[in-house]
Amino acid sequence: MSAKHPAWTGMVPVDDTTLYVADTGGSGRTLVYLNGSYANQKHWQKVISELGGEYRHITYDERARGRSKRSADYSFEACVRDLDAVLRARGVERPILVGWSYGAMLAAHWAARYPGRVEAVVAVDGAIPYGLTGAESEERIRKLFRRMRLLFPIAARLGLAARMSADQHADVNIECNEMSAVLAPVLDRVSCPMWYILATGAHLGAEEEEMGEARAALDPVLARNPNLQVGARVTSNHSKILQKDSPAVAGVIRRCTVPRDHSVG
């Protein structure tokens, strides 16, 4: 039987900042939840409630999100270092990474880089090899965030924005799109089970044609790598999937953790 870990909440130092981490403890399989670009850990509450005490749940806020402190670096590689710091601080060796949106891409990269350190990945409407790139797309993204800048303080309190400037929000989004556009080779290298949960509803800020192209871009990768599979398709959209379809998300997590030695391909 696995050792029982005590529940814990606190701050974990990394680089020039500290991250707020919550660990439910317990002796079950360890699930580490990775948030969307500007979200905090509260978005996982319904999923965690669905799964209950059978698992050990670890959530944390990224830099300038939730209760975590600001930083001089909001890059993707900083997020990689943050995940490493959280795993090290909590003594986690082979977690199941559950990522939503940006967090799903982080989980995929982590699994590809460190194949022996991940038991499985659950990608909630993310880690799709499609992104808007080029000067025209970058300007579109920057204009969108500049128009929204007055809403950020309110959205941050709701867990929907970071304590960043409009341009910093845009920088994160632009980098995410650039990395998503070249994600396919990363997904080809994933050697652990990776389960997708895909939203099918319309999403604010994305045109219907773009959404169709994004979803279709995943098909060739699924065909090439048998470790990747779609666990569920749900009717909610990208923003609402954790709230409206938490039972489906929890169901896929259960499927990927039973039996314990489950593998695909």
Side-chain angles (χ1 to χ4, degrees):
M1 180 179 291
S2 299
K4 184 174 177 61
H5 301 274
W8 182 86
T9 59
M11 305 300 289
V12 170
V14 56
D15 296 346
D16 64 345
T17 187
T18 54
L19 310 176
Y20 178 71
V21 180
D23 182 347
T24 65
S27 56
R29 312 275 280 285
T30 302
L31 305 174
V32 177
Y33 299 87
L34 308 176
N35 308 328
S37 299
Y38 317 108
N40 64 27
Q41 58 185 275
K42 292 181 180 179
H43 292 271
W44 295 106
Q45 288 177 343
K46 285 192 173 183
V47 174
I48 292 172
S49 179
E50 290 279 347
L51 291 167
E54 179 183 348
Y55 299 92
R56 177 188 180 192
H57 307 277
I58 297 177
T59 55
Y60 67 97
D61 295 326
E62 271 293 353
R63 305 175 185 211
R65 287 82 151 175
R67 300 186 192 182
S68 293
K69 304 300 182 181
R70 288 186 172 93
S71 171
D73 186 357
Y74 299 118
S75 67
F76 182 81
E77 288 303 318
C79 292
V80 172
R81 295 195 297 275
D82 291 348
L83 176 55
D84 189 59
V86 170
L87 295 180
R88 187 169 58 250
R90 301 311 303 145
V92 177
E93 295 183 356
R94 278 191 89 234
I96 297 157
L97 298 179
V98 184
W100 166 46
S101 189
Y102 186 93
M105 183 173 71
L106 175 58
H109 269 269
W110 188 270
R113 292 187 193 190
Y114 309 113
R117 296 178 63 184
V118 182
E119 183 176 342
V121 169
V122 177
V124 184
D125 212 40
I128 295 174
Y130 177 88
L132 301 175
T133 60
E136 184 177 341
S137 294
E138 180 175 337
E139 184 57 26
R140 171 182 162 187
I141 291 167
R142 292 200 181 280
K143 284 181 178 179
L144 174 64
F145 282 102
R146 286 168 185 162
R147 287 199 301 268
M148 296 169 59
R149 67 188 183 280
L150 298 179
L151 298 175
F152 290 153
I154 298 172
R157 289 196 290 271
L158 298 174
L160 299 172
R163 297 188 306 283
M164 301 177 187
S165 68
D167 281 338
Q168 286 173 324
H169 276 85
D171 288 341
V172 170
N173 192 281
I174 290 165
E175 183 186 35
C176 180
N177 272 281
E178 290 173 344
M179 295 186 69
S180 295
V182 293
L183 187 61
V186 175
L187 296 173
D188 287 341
R189 296 197 303 273
V190 173
S191 57
C192 68
M194 180 168 175
W195 298 67
Y196 281 88
I197 302 141
L198 301 175
T200 58
H203 175 54
L204 177 66
E207 297 177 1
E208 186 173 349
E209 182 179 354
E210 291 170 352
M211 293 173 62
E213 291 175 356
R215 290 162 181 156
L218 185 60
D219 292 339
V221 181
L222 293 172
R224 290 196 301 269
N225 188 345
N227 295 304
L228 278 55
Q229 60 183 292
V230 176
R233 298 181 190 270
V234 297
T235 57
S236 57
N237 65 22
H238 183 77
S239 299
K240 301 294 185 181
I241 188 169
L242 294 181
Q243 297 301 310
K244 292 189 174 181
D245 283 294
S246 56
V249 175
V252 172
I253 292 171
R254 287 194 183 95
R255 285 172 60 195
C256 85
T257 58
V258 178
R260 191 175 184 87
D261 63 350
H262 172 83
S263 61
V264 181

